[in-house]
Amino acid sequence: MLIAEYLLRNARNWPNRLAYVSETRRLTWGDVADRSLRLAHALRRLGVGPGDVIASMAEDTHETVETWYAAALIGAVRTGVNVRYAPAEMAHVLADAGARVLIVEGGARESDLERLDASLPGLHHVIGFGRHRQALDYEALLASTPPLPEPAAVDPDACAAISYTTGSTGRPKGVRWSHRGIVATQVNTWLQAGMQHDDVFLHCLPAAGVPILLATWNVVNGAAVVLHRRFDAGRALAQLAEERVTSVLWVPTMMSDVLAHPRFAEYDLGRLRLVMYGSMPATPALVRRALEGFGCRLQQWYGSTEATAGWTSILHHEDHLAALDGRPELLTSCGRSTLHCAMAVLDEAGDPVTDGTVGEICVRGETLMLGYHNLPDETAAVLRGDGWLRMGDLGFRDAEGYFYLVDRKNFMIITGGYNVYPMVVENALAEHPAVAEVAVVGAPDERWGEVVCAVVVARAPVTGAELVEFCRPRVASFEVPKRIDFVDRLPRGATGKVQKRELLERYRHVEQLQM
């Protein structure tokens, strides 16, 4: 059973069961299958075949998930383009993936796309939906095309999707997922979370990347997903109540915003039985607020794009209760390994270290990526032929099997659930003529988990506000620094390398950030 087979099974077994709720319509499994089959047939008529790349650039709508299913039905490869990317990042993803077709939501980013058109000779067709300016209209194509007579035969180990994550080289890096890995992730994570056939899941995370797996994981047993276009705490609260939502996954920042909403107490959340969160730990204070406010079970998930999300460890509800009952250190753990993968802490030689010893967190199982797209050296660095994926996180395991992260290789920053590699921001700031040197680190923050901080050595007068504005068109909005400090010199070691650990120590106890 692969993606397309699950979809068609649902349409046969539960054609009238609710599958998706979006801003504009409610779709049953029969509707989703019919529309996806029509889109698949239209794409095939446009010359898209097995292995060709279909890109999607939109907020989370039913068209986003229909594109996912249509690609699977014809054996094509789906990739997502984050609508928050800067134009250069958008162009890189489309060119690197070799996108043949782009399905785009009409709006402000269309002008960016039009400026990039000359640099994307491999992009043969652009299909628009909503209020768009494209020659091909999404709904018109579906209306004029019959459903695909027969889905393509697909090799389980073929590439089904390329998910782009910001790379340490300063450009988004494509992670190739197989059909087999996607199904393993979705089926096993659904099982591990205790999800049920009658669940209604509220999807609040941008489906351009990893969260596409959450937007479509209901396909494994015919449950329903409510698509939340762009996160708004008030709207999320309303959807929880109106759609009688049973489960949701947020980053802690979102969870905190929902709990703090002034109308929180007015909504009936009686059907909510599971709140999941990930990307960063939650503080004891937030966990207490969540347990009291939602009155349901909590889970924390840990995983990586390279493990097809994989959600390779879970901190269960019982662990949260134990943390509040005298074991607060558990809330700094990312939990214990899930049913469908093995986790270990290995040294540089690939050998296991003893419990309590810091090494690199590694994962093994069916959900591992096929590799980085067009990056064989980077692939070899994390998939070394021994079956283990190097996660890039340093940590340790305790005697009870709980894993703890202590640092991130390459000093990656996680702010509000988004991954930011410092080099991306450093490269943007270094383009400013007044910047002589710059180092970017993450500082702890109660709301965002971490915020992006730039430490600048200036060669000419410039303000922090000017540098922030300089960054905005050059990086994604979540990569723009929230703090810029000016220093006479950056700390360096004996070899001249900037000592980022020293900078991190400076910001470790910063409580309030000011420009």
Side-chain angles (χ1 to χ4, degrees):
M1 290 283 287
L2 300 179
I3 303 164
E5 294 170 300
Y6 277 109
L7 173 66
L8 299 179
R9 184 274 318 263
N10 290 354
R12 287 193 303 270
N13 292 355
W14 310 295
N16 299 316
R17 175 181 282 273
L18 182 67
Y20 287 96
V21 178
S22 73
E23 281 190 345
T24 57
R25 59 200 309 171
R26 306 173 76 84
L27 298 171
T28 65
W29 281 111
D31 296 331
V32 175
D34 178 70
R35 289 173 60 82
S36 300
L37 284 163
R38 290 175 184 274
L39 177 59
H41 202 180
L43 290 167
R44 181 175 283 179
R45 288 180 170 183
L46 290 173
V48 179
D52 289 334
V53 175
I54 303 165
S56 171
M57 189 167 75
E59 293 184 349
D60 293 359
T61 66
H62 61 87
E63 291 90 350
T64 303
V65 297
E66 289 162 5
T67 301
W68 171 265
Y69 292 129
L73 284 162
I74 57 175
V77 178
R78 184 267 188 187
T79 194
V81 184
N82 194 322
V83 295
R84 299 180 69 184
Y85 274 160
E89 292 172 310
M90 292 163 49
H92 169 71
V93 168
L94 292 168
D96 184 67
R100 186 180 180 89
V101 173
L102 171 65
I103 298 177
V104 62
E105 182 177 14
R109 301 317 301 266
E110 280 190 298
S111 58
D112 291 326
L113 181 65
E114 288 160 6
R115 286 194 293 271
L116 299 173
D117 187 57
S119 65
L120 299 170
L123 187 61
H124 294 178
H125 303 285
V126 179
I127 302 169
F129 67 89
R131 295 183 176 180
H132 67 86
R133 303 193 295 267
Q134 307 307 320
L136 294 175
D137 178 74
Y138 187 96
E139 290 298 333
L141 280 175
L142 266 60
S144 62
T145 309
L148 185 74
E150 188 73 28
V154 174
D155 179 354
D157 294 313
C159 181
I162 305 174
S163 180
Y164 277 83
T165 180
T166 303
S168 58
T169 60
R171 283 186 165 184
K173 188 163 49 175
V175 176
R176 296 173 62 83
W177 293 340
S178 70
H179 289 266
R180 185 193 305 275
I182 289 168
V183 169
T185 284
Q186 292 185 314
V187 171
N188 286 293
T189 308
W190 189 269
L191 176 66
Q192 183 82 50
M195 304 292 273
Q196 301 167 8
H197 180 61
D198 61 351
D199 261 303
V200 179
F201 175 72
L202 178 61
H203 172 73
C204 291
L205 299 169
V210 165
I212 186 63
L213 299 176
L214 296 170
T216 58
W217 68 333
N218 57 326
V219 77
V220 305
N221 76 342
V225 164
V226 178
L227 298 168
H228 187 90
R229 172 180 283 274
R230 179 178 286 209
F231 181 72
D232 174 82
R235 181 62 186 142
L237 263 175
Q239 288 179 313
L240 287 171
E242 292 166 4
E243 302 296 341
R244 296 175 55 78
V245 167
T246 60
S247 54
V248 64
L249 188 146
W250 287 312
V251 298
T253 305
M254 294 176 174
M255 186 162 65
S256 177
D257 287 351
V258 169
L259 288 164
H261 193 274
R263 296 185 59 193
F264 180 83
E266 299 177 21
Y267 289 95
D268 178 6
L269 308 183
R271 280 207 78 205
L272 189 62
R273 62 176 180 79
L274 176 63
V275 172
M276 299 160 278
Y277 66 94
S279 294
M280 56 187 181
T283 63
L286 179 55
V287 168
R288 287 192 180 91
R289 288 168 56 206
L291 289 172
E292 293 170 3
F294 297 124
C296 67
R297 299 176 68 82
L298 293 182
Q299 289 182 351
Q300 181 205 143
W301 292 4
Y302 165 74
S304 76
T305 309
E306 288 83 352
T308 315
W311 292 295
T312 50
S313 69
I314 293 181
L315 191 71
H316 287 280
H317 180 68
E318 293 73 19
D319 300 320
H320 288 81
L321 297 180
L324 298 181
D325 191 31
R327 297 190 61 189
E329 73 281 357
L330 283 177
L331 292 184
T332 65
S333 167
C334 57
R336 293 187 272 203
S337 59
T338 51
L339 296 171
H340 55 288
C341 71
M343 283 180 69
V345 183
L346 306 182
D347 62 19
E348 201 55 42
D351 297 320
V353 301
T354 57
D355 288 344
T357 302
V358 173
E360 185 166 7
I361 306 290
C362 299
V363 177
R364 185 173 62 198
E366 281 192 333
T367 67
L368 301 194
M369 67 174 180
L370 297 172
Y372 292 119
H373 189 58
N374 295 332
L375 296 171
D377 292 342
E378 286 84 345
T379 299
V382 297
L383 292 174
R384 302 180 188 175
D386 57 2
W388 290 102
L389 166 71
R390 273 65 182 172
M391 298 281 276
D393 288 326
L394 301 177
F396 65 91
R397 182 181 61 192
D398 70 12
E400 296 179 275
Y402 291 96
F403 288 83
Y404 295 79
L405 306 183
V406 298
D407 202 355
R408 300 186 184 92
K409 278 195 169 182
N410 303 321
F411 300 99
M412 186 179 74
I413 302 163
I414 301 180
T415 179
Y418 283 94
N419 294 347
V420 176
Y421 280 87
M423 187 176 290
V424 176
V425 188
E426 289 165 357
N427 288 345
L429 285 168
E431 294 179 23
H432 194 286
V435 173
E437 293 181 298
V438 59
V440 170
V441 295
D445 182 79
E446 179 68 21
R447 172 171 167 74
W448 300 108
E450 290 179 299
V451 292
V452 179
C453 299
V455 185
V456 173
V457 177
R459 62 164 57 94
V462 65
T463 67
E466 288 172 337
L467 292 180
V468 166
E469 290 305 312
F470 183 80
C471 275
R472 290 195 193 282
R474 291 169 171 79
V475 298
S477 57
F478 54 84
E479 295 169 326
V480 175
K482 282 191 165 58
R483 174 175 182 140
I484 294 183
D485 286 340
F486 294 92
V487 296
D488 293 330
R489 65 181 66 85
L490 296 175
R492 297 183 180 275
T495 62
K497 186 177 181 179
V498 174
Q499 300 296 290
K500 282 197 173 178
R501 292 187 190 281
E502 184 176 327
L503 292 174
L504 285 168
E505 260 322 295
R506 286 187 200 174
Y507 290 105
R508 194 171 300 278
H509 304 294
V510 172
E511 295 181 357
Q512 185 173 2
L513 296 179
Q514 298 176 345
M515 189 60 64

